[in-house]
């Protein structure tokens, strides 16, 4: 094996997804001269931040061979509660922390049912999806909450070192999630459980506690995303986040994390979220008629997965 | 015991008399826990008083089963015409068929009914609403300029009709306007924001935005304000948030339905049936809309 020779097969296997994204970017910048401008790049990154934050939590859950369908409703509930507390007079910082604590608690609620009652994650979080949505509607009487303190505007529209705050929050959360997954015993336990739950149990991993943690983390992620979205809209909507679970799952799966658990990571998820965000942005820039947008979006996601799969098959 | 009987006898005699003398019509409302339908009921009551009709109103509290019971009660009480504002277009069908079987003509208001026979269908004219938004925008921007349309959920009647009215008006009466972007934001505020951000990136010049509902309009408004550009925004529905934005001068206008007119037109249709019988086929009555401006 001479060091000068590049193993293209290996390169494709590792970076197939990134290449799919690059191909998309090249195609779009040829089609629209407004696509690859600095302001549009920042725009796309800011737009994907909410989905990417939720998808980080979802990645952790899916690596542990779970699924969390409740994130969209959980986002709505934590958003309206955080906004409600802030409008009700609680200092804005405390209201944000309370909303994130609530998100973690609701995620833990999901996790306890999965880990300790042994109910399938799909069912538990499907129940969560309707319960949390109902609670958000009941809490607000179906109306949006407005008149928020300025901290929320900072979360949604502020900038730090030239980049919008939502992008910083996304990057920070990505990094934290990456560190947990790759550099802690907890992270290794999550991969082990996703790979083979029985083997993980036999090797002394506290499977139930770790499983419950993954759902709690997903709840925290959804609540964090809720704070960013509330800032972006300068209001909290009980109807926010409908179908967000599907966008998050799509980002995770397009990003190469296996739905069967045990494999994947958050940087793939970021690329997945970028692919979805770039498609949405590109279709708006090119003024693709509404009816065709859904077909294009689904088609590009399938195409990206197909490329990834072909590359993976050649590798083995 | 005997007193009870007597009271019952008197009561039923009175009931029979009242239904025989003053013509009684029934109105089954989906919910009075929503100001829109309360106003609809008020409009119906005023029209009934004006026309000398007795109006019985029931409130289904947004429950399908309550509404079916309500309609059965109204049939039992011998209403001559039944006005239904369905909680659910499909679930109300058996009750409408029961009224049909009892020979009582049925009028649907605000929402349609998926089966049975409906003599009149009274609903807001979304096409006219879209056209009046178009007219307003045309006047505001001086008859020419680039305009953006944010569409509702593809395939819904509201999105189709509002878009049709708007685009037909622009094509026929405001040829100076070009629709530079026509994108869906699915009636959703968060999507209105991100789609508008993308359109702002793509289009250096935008004079006005028409959104098929207020949620998308408010999302777009957020994006426009963040961009610092000056663009006329018109929404649809006159939600509390949107009316507040219009009053504050942030949003140019929103198209409001007229629930009182819906109620009044339904009662007038009922009076028409009492006078000259039910039509052989469903008659659609489109009620106009009103533009809310600062």
């Amino acid at each position: 094996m001479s060091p000068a020779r590049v193993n293209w097969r290996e390169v494709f296997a590792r970076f197939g997804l990134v290449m799919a994204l690059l191909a998309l970017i090249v195609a779009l910048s040829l089609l629209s001269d407004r696509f690859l401008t600095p302001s549009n790049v920042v725009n796309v990154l800011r737009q994907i931040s909410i989905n990417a934050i939720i998808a980080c939590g979802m990645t952790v859950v899916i690596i542990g061979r779970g699924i969390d369908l409740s994130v969209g409703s959980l986002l709505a509930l934590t958003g309206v509660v955080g906004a409600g507390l802030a409008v009700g007079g609680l200092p804005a910082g405390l209201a944000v922390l309370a909303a994130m604590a609530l998100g973690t608690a609701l995620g833990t609620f999901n996790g306890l049912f999965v880990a300790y009652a042994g109910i399938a994650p799909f069912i538990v979080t499907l129940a969560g999806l309707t319960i949390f949505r109902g609670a958000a509607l009941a809490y607000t009487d179906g109306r949006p909450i407005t008149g928020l303190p300025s901290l929320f505007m900072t979360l949604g529209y502020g900038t730090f070192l030239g980049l919008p705050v939502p992008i910083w929050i996304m990057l920070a959360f990505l990094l934290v999630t990456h560190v947990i997954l790759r550099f802690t015993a907890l992270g290794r336990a999550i991969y082990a459980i996703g790979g083979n739950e029985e083997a993980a149990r036999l090797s002394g991993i506290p499977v139930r506690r770790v499983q419950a943690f993954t759902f709690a983390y997903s709840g925290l992620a959804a609540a964090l995303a809720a704070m960013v979205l509330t800032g972006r809209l300068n209001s909290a909507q009980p109807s926010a986040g409908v179908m967000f679970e599907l966008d998050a799952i799509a980002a995770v799966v397009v990003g190469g994390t296996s739905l069967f658990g045990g494999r994947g990571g958050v940087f793939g998820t970021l690329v997945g979220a970028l692919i979805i965000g770039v498609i949405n942005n590109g279709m708006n820039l090119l003024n693709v008629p509404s009816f065709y947008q859904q077909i294009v979006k689904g088609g590009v996601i399938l195409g990206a997965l197909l490329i990834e799969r072909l590359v993976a098959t050649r590798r083995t | 015991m005997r007193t009870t009987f007597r009271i019952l006898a008197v009561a039923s005699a009175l009931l029979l008399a009242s239904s025989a003398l003053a013509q009684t019509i029934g109105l089954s409302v989906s919910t009075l826990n929503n100001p829109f339908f309360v106003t609809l009921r008020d409009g119906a009551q005023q029209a009934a008083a004006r026309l000398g009709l007795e109006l019985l109103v029931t409130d289904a509290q947004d429950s399908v089963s309550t509404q079916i019971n309500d309609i059965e009660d109204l049939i039992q009480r011998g209403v001559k015409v039944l006005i239904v504002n369905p909680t659910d277009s499909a679930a109300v069908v058996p009750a409408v068929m029961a009224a049909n079987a009892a020979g009582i003509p049925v009028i649907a208001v605000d929402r349609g009914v998926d089966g049975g026979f409906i003599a009149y269908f009274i609903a807001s004219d979304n096409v006219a609403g879209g056209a009046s938004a178009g007219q307003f925008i045309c006047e505001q921007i001086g008859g020419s300029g680039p305009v953006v349309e944010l569409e509702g959920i593809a395939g819904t009647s509201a999105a189709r009709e509002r878009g049709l009215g708007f685009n037909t008006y622009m094509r026929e009466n405001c040829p100076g306007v070009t629709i530079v972007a026509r994108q869906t934001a699915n009636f959703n505020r968060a999507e209105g924001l991100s789609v508008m951000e993308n359109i702002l990136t793509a289009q250096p010049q935008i004079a006005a935005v028409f959104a098929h509902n207020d949620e998308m309009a408010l999302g777009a408004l957020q994006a426009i304000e963040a961009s610092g550009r000056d663009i006329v925004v018109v929404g649809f529905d006159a939600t509390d948030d949107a009316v507040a934005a219009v009053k504050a001068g942030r949003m140019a206008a929103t198209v409001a339905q007229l629930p009182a007119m819906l109620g009044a037109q339904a009662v007038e249709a009922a009076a028409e049936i009492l006078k000259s019988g039910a039509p052989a086929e469903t008659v659609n009555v489109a009620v106009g809309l009103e533009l809310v401006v600062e």
Side-chain angles (χ1 to χ4, degrees):
Chain A
M1 202 168 78
S2 96
R5 258 189 60 187
V6 179
N7 186 341
W8 284 109
R9 201 172 281 184
E10 184 67 21
V11 170
F12 270 111
R14 285 191 69 114
F15 300 108
L17 202 66
V18 177
M19 289 186 171
L21 174 62
L22 287 177
L24 202 58
I25 290 173
V26 169
L28 281 170
S29 42
L30 290 176
L31 289 167
S32 164
D33 59 350
R34 301 222 150 228
F35 177 72
L36 212 56
T37 56
S39 68
N40 192 45
V41 170
V42 168
N43 176 33
V44 170
L45 285 173
R46 194 175 51 193
Q47 289 184 355
I48 68 155
S49 61
I50 290 157
N51 185 27
I53 292 168
I54 301 172
C56 278
M58 188 70 79
T59 308
V60 171
V61 171
I62 289 180
I63 288 173
R65 202 185 286 197
I67 192 90
D68 188 350
L69 302 180
S70 72
V71 287
S73 301
L74 206 152
L75 172 141
L77 179 55
T78 51
V80 294
V81 169
L85 291 175
V87 170
L90 198 67
L94 283 181
V96 167
L97 288 180
M100 309 232 303
L102 176 67
T104 313
L106 295 174
T108 309
F109 171 84
N110 282 334
L112 293 180
F113 273 91
V114 171
Y116 291 90
I119 307 172
F122 186 92
I123 301 301
V124 170
T125 58
L126 187 62
L129 179 147
T130 71
I131 294 170
F132 302 153
R133 177 71 58 196
L137 287 164
Y139 180 78
T140 57
D141 203 15
R143 279 188 278 269
I145 296 178
T146 52
L148 303 177
S150 63
L151 174 71
F152 285 96
M153 274 303 260
T154 310
L155 283 177
Y157 288 92
T159 55
F160 178 68
L161 298 180
L163 274 186
V165 170
I167 299 179
W168 285 114
I169 295 177
M170 168 182 78
L171 292 176
F173 196 67
L174 235 118
L175 196 67
V176 168
T177 312
H178 181 72
V179 167
I180 291 176
L181 281 175
R182 296 286 175 183
F183 301 108
T184 67
L186 179 60
R188 283 188 288 275
I190 295 169
Y191 280 98
I193 291 168
N196 187 334
E197 193 179 320
E198 199 49 40
R201 199 186 313 277
L202 292 174
S203 64
I205 291 171
V207 171
R208 289 177 167 176
R209 252 188 292 161
V210 174
Q211 269 181 335
F213 167 82
T214 62
F215 286 91
Y217 194 73
S218 176
L220 172 70
L224 182 61
M227 296 303 101
V228 177
L229 181 65
T230 303
R232 294 270 283 143
L233 296 175
N234 197 21
S235 65
Q237 313 264 322
S239 60
V242 173
M243 306 279 271
F244 275 22
E245 59 281 352
L246 293 186
D247 274 347
I249 293 169
V252 173
V253 174
V254 168
T257 294
S258 165
L259 269 179
F260 300 106
R263 265 196 323 120
V266 281
F267 286 106
T269 298
L270 175 64
V271 177
L274 271 169
I275 288 179
I276 294 168
V278 163
I279 296 169
N280 284 334
N281 175 259
M283 287 193 301
N284 286 154
L285 293 188
L286 298 174
N287 204 13
V288 176
S290 326
F291 296 141
Y292 298 100
Q293 290 199 359
Q294 305 175 22
I295 302 174
V296 173
K297 192 170 162 185
V300 173
I301 289 173
L302 267 184
L305 284 174
L306 191 64
I307 292 172
E308 213 262 337
R309 174 45 51 105
L310 286 176
V311 168
T313 327
R314 280 172 96 195
R315 178 172 32 173
T316 48
Chain B
M1 191 71 192
R2 187 170 285 175
T3 346
T4 324
F5 256 117
R6 204 171 288 165
I7 290 170
L8 270 178
V10 171
S12 52
L14 276 176
L15 207 68
L16 279 174
S18 72
S19 61
L21 293 173
Q23 304 261 46
T24 308
I25 55 177
L27 168 60
S28 169
V29 182
S30 58
T31 173
L32 292 177
N33 193 20
N34 176 334
F36 184 88
F37 295 111
V38 174
T39 315
L40 186 150
R41 179 204 59 188
D42 294 347
Q45 279 175 335
Q46 280 157 17
R50 193 175 69 238
L51 298 164
L53 298 168
E54 191 186 345
L55 183 70
L56 301 175
V57 181
T58 60
D59 171 13
Q61 293 162 16
D62 258 339
S63 153
V64 168
S65 54
T66 306
Q67 182 156 47
I68 288 174
N69 292 339
D70 286 347
I71 293 175
E72 281 167 355
D73 289 348
L74 289 170
I75 295 172
Q76 291 307 314
R77 287 166 76 174
V79 296
K80 293 283 185 291
V81 180
L82 175 68
I83 303 170
V84 181
N85 158 233
T87 49
D88 181 289
S89 297
V92 79
V93 170
V96 167
M97 288 170 80
N100 289 157
I104 301 171
V106 180
I107 295 169
V109 60
D110 189 50
R111 296 176 189 144
V113 178
D114 291 347
F117 177 69
I118 299 297
Y120 286 89
F121 177 37
I122 321 279
S124 292
D125 190 345
N126 277 308
V127 178
S132 66
Q135 183 180 7
F136 175 78
I137 286 176
C138 187
E139 287 163 6
Q140 288 289 308
I141 64 177
S144 70
V147 172
V148 170
E149 181 183 6
L150 290 180
E151 300 176 303
I153 295 173
T156 57
S157 62
R160 200 170 49 239
E161 290 164 7
R162 291 169 187 185
L164 177 71
F166 175 76
N167 286 298
T168 309
Y169 181 88
M170 285 306 192
R171 201 169 47 245
E172 289 172 1
N173 303 302
C174 200
V177 157
T178 342
I179 310 293
V180 289
R182 182 176 286 128
Q183 293 284 291
T184 183
N186 293 315
F187 286 137
N188 178 297
R189 198 183 292 202
E191 282 189 54
L193 168 69
S194 60
V195 169
M196 194 65 216
E197 283 173 340
N198 292 339
I199 293 173
L200 286 166
T201 305
Q203 303 293 338
Q205 297 292 326
I206 299 171
V209 175
F210 170 53
H212 289 183
N213 81 344
D214 282 337
E215 284 298 297
M216 297 190 293
L218 289 164
L221 190 65
Q222 205 71 44
I224 291 165
E225 286 177 349
S227 77
R229 287 159 75 169
D230 186 23
I231 295 172
V232 173
V233 178
V234 177
F236 210 116
D237 287 343
T239 63
D240 292 349
D241 263 13
V243 171
V246 170
K247 296 293 172 221
R250 297 168 57 211
M251 197 163 125
T254 174
V255 181
Q257 298 192 51
L258 298 173
M261 281 283 278
L262 287 172
Q265 293 266 321
V267 170
E268 277 161 25
E272 183 62 31
I273 290 174
L274 291 173
K275 205 170 71 187
S276 40
E281 276 179 34
T282 304
V283 176
N284 289 303
V285 179
V287 175
L289 296 107
E290 183 186 63
L291 209 59
V292 179
V293 294
E294 196 188 348

